[in-house]
């Protein structure tokens, strides 16, 4: 009986040992993983329209596969990236790997034991025995499109302008030519216009060349072809002294930028406001052809305006060099009034002479003599000044 029990116990142990061996064989650990990706992507492709094939090396816009017999690709999907692809974009994907029979994934993996051909490993995690791997594809390579509508701007001298193409880095290289002679080269410029005025120090026929260039993506973004503008002739009277163009010295931020003691205003496309009026935050400002904000007295189309120290166009009374002037508060707004009567809201009358200055003291107007109180400038009426009688209309009663 005792011998039979021993035999039974030994048999049980032997059976358990035999049964445990297949379980041990089914848990071979996958120590390293290699995922292969090839893609046929083009600039302008939409990520939501791409076909993904997993399990083989062909058949889709993006193909995810492996040559390992230890696991297979169970799923693959795009997790991020632009809806419309551009040069340099790196499409991110989530790849789900399923271990084949007799194998299992270990607890954690890193870039040292997960290799991605055609992309880069980002992270991994286990889910229900599967291994989920996050990757990003290699940056999309391509050639940038050339700028469009390349020409000289109508307003201002020497301002090059162009339209940005849809496939652009946003950066450009420009060359200014006088005849066939290169005058200057501008590299890695961001914007859609550039002021060459400072470089036009000799008379002659000018044109410029421009191309889109890579910026921070030199390994996969290729320059566009060169585009050449039309020509224009600069005569001697318009030759620059070399101090007109300050574009490259001004900050690149959108909105107000200061260089030295001068203010400039930059638009979202990178260009500076130049050569005229601009309405900004409920104020009118005036800029010259180099983009400098103007202050003080300014003559525009034969009319005078006064821009205060903040660059605001002033309206109403304005004192300058000890004299008072009136800047029209109505249309044409801001224009200095001259040779005219001004009737204020409090019923008082003033007269602005041919220079726009408010009259003070005795003044002859259209053959009549009037008296305007010094300092305040309003016209005296129904009173006697220096023993001379002034009537209801302010004129001296002879």
């Amino acid at each position: 009986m005792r011998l039979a029990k021993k035999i039974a116990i030994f048999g049980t142990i032997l059976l358990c040992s035999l049964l445990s061996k297949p379980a041990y064989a089914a848990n071979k650990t996958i120590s390293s993983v290699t995922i292969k990706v090839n893609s046929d992507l083009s600039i302008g492709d939409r990520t939501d329209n791409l076909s993904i094939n997993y399990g083989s090396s062909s058949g889709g816009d993006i193909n995810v596969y492996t040559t390992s017999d230890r696991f297979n690709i169970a799923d693959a999907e795009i997790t991020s990236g632009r809806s419309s692809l551009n040069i340099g974009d790196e499409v991110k994907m989530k790849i789900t790997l399923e271990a084949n029979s007799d194998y299992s994934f270990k607890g954690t993996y890193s870039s040292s034991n997960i290799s991605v051909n055609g992309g880069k490993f980002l992270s991994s995690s286990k889910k229900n025995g599967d291994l989920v791997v996050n990757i990003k594809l290699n940056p999309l390579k391509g050639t940038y499109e050339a700028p469009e509508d390349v020409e000289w701007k109508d307003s201002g001298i020497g301002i090059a302008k162009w339209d940005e193409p849809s496939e652009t880095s946003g950066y450009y290289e420009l060359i200014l030519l006088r005849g066939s002679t290169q005058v200057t080269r501008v590299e890695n410029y961001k914007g859609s216009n550039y002021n060459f005025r400072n470089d036009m120090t000799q008379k002659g026929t000018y044109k410029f060349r421009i191309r889109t260039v890579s910026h921070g993506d030199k390994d996969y973004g290729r320059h566009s072809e060169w585009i050449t503008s039309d020509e224009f002739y600069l005569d001697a009277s318009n030759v620059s002294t070399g101090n007109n163009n300050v574009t490259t010295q001004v900050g690149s931020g959108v909105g107000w930028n200061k260089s030295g003691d001068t203010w400039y205003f930059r638009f979202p496309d990178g260009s500076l406001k130049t050569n005229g009026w601009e309405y900004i935050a409920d104020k009118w400002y005036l800029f010259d052809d180099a983009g400098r904000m103007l202050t003080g007295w300014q003559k525009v189309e034969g009319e005078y305006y006064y821009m205060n120290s903040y660059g605001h166009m002033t309206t109403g009374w304005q004192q300058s060099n000890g004299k008072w002037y009136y800047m029209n508060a109505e249309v044409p707004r801001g224009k200095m009034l001259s040779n005219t009567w001004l009737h204020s809201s409090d019923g008082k009358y003033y007269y602005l002479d041919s220079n726009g200055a408010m009259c003070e003291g005795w003044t002859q107007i259209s053959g009549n003599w009037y008296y305007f109180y010094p300092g305040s400038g309003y016209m005296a009426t129904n009173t006697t000044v220096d023993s001379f009688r002034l009537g209801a209309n302010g004129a001296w009663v002879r």
Side-chain angles (χ1 to χ4, degrees):
M1 177 66 77
R2 185 175 297 174
L3 178 60
K5 285 184 178 180
K6 288 182 178 180
I7 292 173
I9 292 171
F10 177 76
T12 301
I13 294 172
L14 180 61
L15 178 61
C16 290
S17 176
L18 291 173
L19 291 175
S20 66
K21 285 186 177 181
Y24 177 79
N27 287 321
K28 291 180 182 178
T29 301
I30 300 173
S31 59
S32 63
V33 169
T34 298
I35 301 171
K36 297 186 177 183
V37 182
N38 65 49
S39 58
D40 183 19
L41 304 180
S42 301
I43 298 169
D45 283 350
R46 291 183 57 86
T47 54
D48 52 359
N49 290 335
L50 297 176
S51 62
I52 302 173
N53 179 52
Y54 51 91
S56 65
S57 61
S58 62
D61 296 317
I62 301 175
N63 304 289
V64 184
Y65 63 102
T66 181
T67 55
S68 173
D69 59 357
R70 299 182 178 186
F71 64 90
N72 61 79
I73 311 295
D75 191 25
E77 61 180 293
I78 293 174
T79 56
S80 69
R82 295 187 184 182
S83 58
S84 181
L85 296 178
N86 201 351
I87 294 172
D89 282 350
E90 299 170 298
V91 177
K92 293 183 179 179
M93 300 187 69
K94 181 173 72 175
I95 314 297
T96 302
L97 309 181
E98 182 181 59
N100 293 333
S101 59
D102 299 337
Y103 292 94
S104 64
F105 294 108
K106 64 178 185 176
T108 59
Y109 291 85
S110 65
S111 58
S112 63
N113 44 34
I114 292 185
S115 174
V116 181
N117 296 341
K120 182 178 180 180
F121 168 78
L122 296 177
S123 65
S124 67
S125 62
K126 285 188 68 175
K127 183 178 181 181
N128 299 326
D130 293 338
L131 182 64
V132 179
V133 182
N134 294 298
I135 69 169
K136 63 179 179 181
L137 305 189
N138 291 334
L140 182 62
K141 295 182 178 181
T143 301
Y144 288 115
E145 293 181 354
E148 301 171 349
D149 296 330
V150 174
E151 60 185 356
W152 293 105
K153 196 172 182 180
D154 291 335
S155 59
I157 297 175
I159 302 176
K161 66 180 289 289
W162 58 92
D163 289 339
E164 295 193 284
S166 57
E167 306 304 333
T168 179
S169 63
Y171 288 82
Y172 304 92
E173 181 178 5
L174 299 98
I175 296 176
L176 177 66
L177 299 167
R178 185 179 64 254
S180 59
T181 302
Q182 178 176 315
V183 177
T184 189
R185 177 188 293 265
V186 181
E187 298 180 337
N188 291 316
Y189 179 76
K190 182 175 177 61
S192 60
N193 62 56
Y194 186 85
N195 194 340
F196 281 113
R197 186 76 175 95
N198 188 54
D199 302 296
M200 295 177 169
T201 57
Q202 297 182 41
K203 67 178 182 179
T205 300
Y206 287 87
K207 62 185 176 184
F208 69 94
R209 303 180 71 207
I210 183 172
R211 66 176 177 175
T212 309
V213 296
S214 59
H215 184 80
D217 53 7
K218 295 181 179 178
D219 293 335
Y220 40 86
R222 294 185 291 273
H223 302 337
S224 75
E225 63 178 329
W226 286 99
I227 302 295
T228 303
S229 74
D230 54 335
E231 298 180 342
F232 86 94
Y233 181 77
L234 183 73
D235 58 31
S237 64
N238 285 313
V239 167
S240 172
T241 61
N243 297 314
N244 297 311
N245 180 14
V246 291
T247 301
T248 57
Q249 303 171 11
V250 183
S252 60
V254 174
W256 289 106
N257 291 271
K258 192 175 185 181
S259 177
D261 294 326
T262 306
W263 285 96
Y264 304 81
F265 189 82
R266 191 177 295 281
F267 295 114
D269 66 359
S271 64
L272 292 176
K273 169 60 188 177
T274 60
N275 201 36
W277 295 100
E278 189 69 24
Y279 194 61
I280 305 170
D282 298 326
K283 303 288 184 183
W284 281 103
Y285 297 83
L286 187 62
F287 299 84
D288 67 11
D289 62 358
R292 292 178 285 242
M293 183 195 79
L294 301 175
T295 60
W297 287 105
Q298 302 296 330
K299 189 176 183 180
V300 181
E301 297 180 353
E303 304 292 350
Y304 284 94
Y305 299 82
Y306 190 84
M307 319 303 291
N308 67 17
S309 59
Y310 297 102
H312 305 163
M313 180 186 74
T314 61
T315 58
W317 289 107
Q318 175 65 45
Q319 189 177 37
S320 176
N321 296 325
K323 294 183 179 295
W324 285 95
Y325 301 83
Y326 191 83
M327 321 309 290
N328 199 11
E330 300 176 357
V331 178
R333 190 172 176 83
K335 168 190 169 182
M336 183 194 76
L337 300 183
S338 62
N339 281 328
T340 188
W341 288 96
L342 180 65
H343 188 199
S344 66
S345 58
D346 60 3
K348 295 177 179 178
Y349 284 87
Y350 303 81
Y351 193 81
L352 305 166
D353 66 18
S354 59
N355 295 316
M358 180 188 75
C359 292
E360 299 180 75
W362 288 104
T363 303
Q364 188 178 35
I365 303 170
S366 300
N368 293 316
W369 284 92
Y370 300 85
Y371 186 81
F372 300 90
Y373 291 108
S376 62
Y378 69 88
M379 182 185 70
T381 59
N382 290 323
T383 189
T384 299
V385 176
D386 298 331
S387 73
F388 297 100
R389 179 67 182 170
L390 300 171
N393 65 353
W396 169 36
V397 180
R398 297 177 182 271

